[in-house]
């Protein structure tokens, strides 16, 4: 087992198939791959079948982890009950915080790059573990504290993190939690358990819809990165040369993409507009990769349609 890990959470076979179609060939990675499968949506066997259809050794040798079993493990270990237990199983994104904790505990992994499955990996990611000695984040202004309950949020999360962060401190720096490189952090599990058992977090998740409910997981990362910086940990930022984050779709997409720069990672974090983005982007990179992607799974009947919906 290598000390570095790329951990990918997957729940859509089509996205995993796209990732593997464009994954670089003939490289020697300095990491192992761990695939966390949301088995409420797809089976581990179905993901393995997708992986085995591609000649990508690091993925063929991947370790598979059932997200529901991951949750079962921490429910028992942390004694989650009631709303805490329901929150863990229902939210959908909390496994990404548990990835580095679990991989350290079970496999001795020291550095973990965490990613969703809605990504293109176009270059060898091995260099990331040298470029980012401890933590790597993508700066993002979306999650600044602006709502009318911002001071209530700050008070509650300061209690969770045993901190005294001010609004000015927190709004000086915000991140996107879709792509993170973690170092070994003995305190992460401790603060995660406090967060999971917080009545205020439960209130935000269960009593609201939309932005407030959705961002409750992002808020953990927001406070955690400030905690790391306060503790003088090395926190570096992904640049455009490392990660391209797609948050919207251009009205008039070009006929050809990736003409000048090919980033190692493209994360198309655009919710239900993913099929619309892919319908333009995939034909737009055919000139470079010699592949016109043909959907085979969830998007088989909708990709390239005028109004593709996922």
């Amino acid at each position: 087992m290598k000390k570095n890990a790329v951990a990918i959470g997957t729940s859509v076979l089509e996205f995993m198939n796209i990732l593997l179609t464009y994954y670089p060939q003939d490289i020697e990675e300095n990491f192992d791959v761990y695939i966390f499968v949301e088995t409420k949506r797809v089976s581990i066997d179905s993901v393995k079948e997708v992986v085995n259809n591609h000649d990508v050794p690091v993925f063929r040798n991947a370790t598979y982890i059932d997200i529901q079993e991951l949750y079962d493990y921490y429910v028992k270990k942390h004694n989650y009950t009631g709303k805490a237990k329901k929150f863990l199983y229902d939210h959908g994104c909390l496994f990404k915080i548990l990835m580095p904790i679990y991989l350290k505990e079970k496999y001795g992994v020291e550095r973990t790059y965490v990613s969703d499955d809605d990504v293109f990996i176009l270059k060898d990611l091995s260099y990331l573990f040298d470029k980012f000695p401890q933590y790597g984040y993508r700066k993002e202004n979306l999650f600044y504290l602006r709502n009318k309950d911002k001071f209530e949020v700050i008070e509650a999360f300061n209690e969770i993190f045993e901190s005294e962060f001010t609004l000015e401190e927190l709004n000086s720096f915000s991140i996107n939690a879709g792509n993170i490189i973690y170092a070994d952090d003995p305190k992460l599990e401790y603060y995660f358990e406090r967060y999971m058992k917080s009545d205020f977090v439960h209130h935000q998740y269960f009593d609201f819809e939309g932005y407030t409910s959705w961002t409750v997981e992002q808020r953990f990362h927001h406070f955690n990165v400030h905690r790391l910086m306060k503790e003088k940990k090395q926190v570096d930022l992904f640049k455009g040369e490392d990660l391209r984050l797609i948050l919207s779709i251009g009205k008039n997409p070009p006929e050809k993409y990736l003409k000048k720069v090919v980033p190692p990672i493209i994360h198309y974090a655009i919710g239900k507009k993913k099929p619309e983005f892919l319908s333009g982007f995939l034909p737009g990179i055919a000139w470079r990769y010699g592949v016109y992607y043909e959907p085979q799974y969830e998007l088989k009947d909708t990709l390239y349609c005028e109004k593709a919906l996922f």
Side-chain angles (χ1 to χ4, degrees), residues 276-289:
E276 183 182 348
F277 165 74
L278 291 170
S279 292
F281 187 77
L282 289 169
I285 62 174
W287 71 276
R288 176 174 284 277
Y289 294 100

Side-chain angles (χ1 to χ4, degrees), residues 3-34:
K3 297 299 183 182
N4 301 326
V6 169
I8 297 175
T10 188
S11 60
V12 180
L13 300 179
E14 199 76 67
F15 296 161
M16 181 61 70
N17 195 53
I18 291 170
L19 186 163
L20 291 163
T21 297
Y22 298 93
Y23 191 87
Q25 297 291 313
D26 301 321
I27 59 175
E28 294 185 12
E29 298 89 343
N30 66 1
F31 56 82
D32 292 321
V33 169
Y34 296 81

